[in-house]
Amino acid sequence: MNNMHGIIFSYEKQTGLRELLEHRVHGSIPFATNYRVVDFMLSNMVNAGIRDVGVIMHGKCQSMLDHLGTGKSWDLSRNYGGLTLLPAFAYAERRGSDGRFQGKMEALACVLDYVRRIRQDYVVLADSDVVINLPLQEVLQSHIESGAQMTAVCTDVLGEGNDTYFQMDEKGRITDTTYQVYTPSGYRCLNVFILSKELLVNLVTDCMAHNRYSFRRHVLQQGGLDLHGFVWKGYSAHINTVESYYQRSMELLNPEIRAELFCAERPILAKENESPSTYIDPTGTCVNSLIGDGCDIQGDVKNCILFRGVRVEKGASVEGCILFKGTVVKKGAQLRHVIADKYVTVSENVQLVGSESYPMLLARGSTV
């Protein structure tokens, strides 16, 4: 049995994803035609041999519950262990709160009985909104060799100031943790951590005894722990704004990035579907695009990402767009740099134009 246990946090955050979170949490946002964002971290764990994964949720988690189901698509449907869905709000209500948790430590405290029953020696803590294909076995090996109490996965590619950043010495020890800095420097945290189960239980119980709830502030920045950094040199994407979602999605049109993210050695698994093949009409065009199953393309599609069941009628033109499941673009319509959530209908001869830096976003089920 593998010596790691996975815990994924899926919850509402204060971000700029706007209408994309109206009916879902971060991890269940559709991505790359056939996937949800959580599929990447879940696949990372399965590819590393992890057979027990708990997903801690609160907020609009119905979409996540529907997507994960029993975990069969990831070979996590088991009589003992496997995938465990942990709606932390249900546990929190028993403790007299309003069903929301203030931070990861409080969320872990809500499911402390589950944490104590973990069979493995090591626990991987990860967020559900990171797109990455990470060899977690290598991270575990690095953690063991370092002798540190906790290992944090990070990257030298800087991001926004509201990310967490580490300063490290020449031996890979983390010497400082900063957040919301004006000028980011150092290594950006990817919110993937490995530590022992014993240490995790001790940290949770200590934080609750002192009314501390934030993992970043009360664990990473508090001091007293021997922290080690694992620097990931490959591709990673943090989805936290509409603009970042659009840009990270459009990057997949680059074959090199696509090949790295969807490498054969560590396949990204997704929920099974039974959609028919996509139809492209001889009079239509489809250029440099990613197309999901079950689409009907009779118009012109260029530099787009289309999810399952999208229909582009004759005379319609879409360019630089991301169209979610069931979207219909009727004849004569023209779309440029548009993100359409599920089941959107764009009426005949409508023109919608956004920009690469600020794409237009259409809410789920709307008609324009």
Side-chain angles (χ1 to χ4, degrees), residues 223-354:
L225 285 180
D226 183 7
L227 303 178
H228 172 254
F230 179 93
V231 182
W232 171 242
K233 297 293 186 179
Y235 179 84
S236 64
H238 187 203
I239 308 300
N240 57 2
T241 65
V242 170
E243 293 74 24
S244 67
Y245 175 79
Y246 181 83
Q247 292 164 7
R248 300 294 84 79
S249 296
M250 288 295 109
E251 285 176 349
L252 297 180
L253 298 180
N254 182 334
E256 295 180 358
I257 291 179
R258 198 163 62 247
E260 179 183 347
L261 189 58
F262 297 98
C263 64
E265 296 80 11
R266 298 185 301 275
I268 302 300
L269 307 173
K271 184 178 180 180
E272 299 172 354
N273 71 81
E274 299 178 353
S275 298
S277 300
T278 287
Y279 171 75
I280 302 178
D281 191 88
T283 62
T285 60
C286 185
V287 179
N288 191 38
S289 299
L290 298 180
I291 310 297
D293 296 333
C295 293
D296 181 5
I297 300 174
Q298 301 182 38
D300 298 325
V301 175
K302 182 179 180 181
N303 299 332
C304 290
I305 297 177
L306 307 186
F307 289 77
R308 288 187 290 122
V310 171
R311 187 169 84 247
V312 180
E313 296 185 353
K314 288 183 183 292
S317 173
V318 293
E319 181 176 348
C321 296
I322 304 172
L323 307 182
F324 286 11
K325 177 182 177 182
T327 293
V328 177
V329 182
K330 296 195 172 181
K331 62 182 182 180
Q334 295 187 12
L335 276 62
R336 301 291 183 271
H337 309 301
V338 172
I339 302 174
D341 207 327
K342 287 184 175 183
Y343 309 116
V344 167
T345 299
V346 180
S347 303
E348 295 181 9
N349 301 317
V350 168
Q351 295 187 11
L352 301 175
V353 180

Side-chain angles (χ1 to χ4, degrees), residues 49-264:
I50 296 176
R51 293 295 175 262
D52 294 341
V53 178
V55 181
I56 301 179
M57 300 174 287
H58 84 57
K60 304 180 183 73
C61 59
Q62 186 60 53
S63 177
M64 179 69 76
L65 291 168
D66 293 341
H67 178 68
L68 295 178
T70 63
K72 179 181 178 181
S73 297
W74 300 268
D75 192 27
L76 292 174
S77 179
R78 302 172 184 275
N79 292 329
Y80 185 59
L83 180 68
T84 303
L85 304 178
L86 301 165
F89 57 82
Y91 295 90
E93 286 172 353
R94 292 209 306 254
R95 301 167 64 238
S97 74
D98 63 356
R100 304 284 177 137
F101 54 80
Q102 302 176 77
K104 291 179 180 177
M105 301 311 292
E106 184 178 12
L108 289 166
C110 290
V111 296
L112 187 55
D113 288 343
Y114 172 85
V115 176
R116 285 178 170 143
R117 292 196 303 269
I118 288 176
R119 299 176 289 170
Q120 295 81 6
D121 294 330
Y122 296 97
V123 180
V124 181
L125 302 178
D127 282 356
S128 64
D129 58 353
V130 180
V131 176
I132 188 173
N133 194 327
L134 183 66
L136 283 173
Q137 282 286 7
E138 294 182 19
V139 182
L140 175 62
Q141 187 62 34
S142 175
H143 172 71
I144 295 173
E145 292 175 354
S146 72
Q149 292 176 288
M150 184 188 304
T151 291
V153 180
C154 53
T155 175
D156 56 6
V157 178
L158 301 181
E160 301 175 359
N162 58 357
D163 291 318
T164 300
Y165 286 88
F166 298 129
Q167 301 297 326
M168 293 193 297
D169 62 20
E170 63 280 359
K171 295 182 179 180
R173 286 297 193 273
I174 296 174
T175 58
D176 190 26
T177 302
T178 57
Y179 177 69
Q180 288 187 333
V181 293
Y182 183 75
T183 305
S185 63
Y187 297 87
R188 178 166 55 93
C189 177
L190 295 178
N191 295 322
V192 181
F193 305 90
I194 290 184
L195 69 166
S196 69
K197 171 204 167 179
E198 180 183 4
L199 176 60
L200 179 60
V201 171
N202 290 339
L203 288 173
V204 173
T205 54
D206 182 69
C207 283
M208 290 304 98
H210 295 88
N211 196 28
R212 298 169 181 164
Y213 55 84
S214 171
F215 185 82
R216 182 188 64 251
R217 186 181 312 130
H218 299 132
V219 176
L220 298 179
Q221 293 182 318
Q222 189 72 18
L225 285 180
D226 183 7
L227 303 178
H228 172 254
F230 179 93
V231 182
W232 171 242
K233 297 293 186 179
Y235 179 84
S236 64
H238 187 203
I239 308 300
N240 57 2
T241 65
V242 170
E243 293 74 24
S244 67
Y245 175 79
Y246 181 83
Q247 292 164 7
R248 300 294 84 79
S249 296
M250 288 295 109
E251 285 176 349
L252 297 180
L253 298 180
N254 182 334
E256 295 180 358
I257 291 179
R258 198 163 62 247
E260 179 183 347
L261 189 58
F262 297 98
C263 64

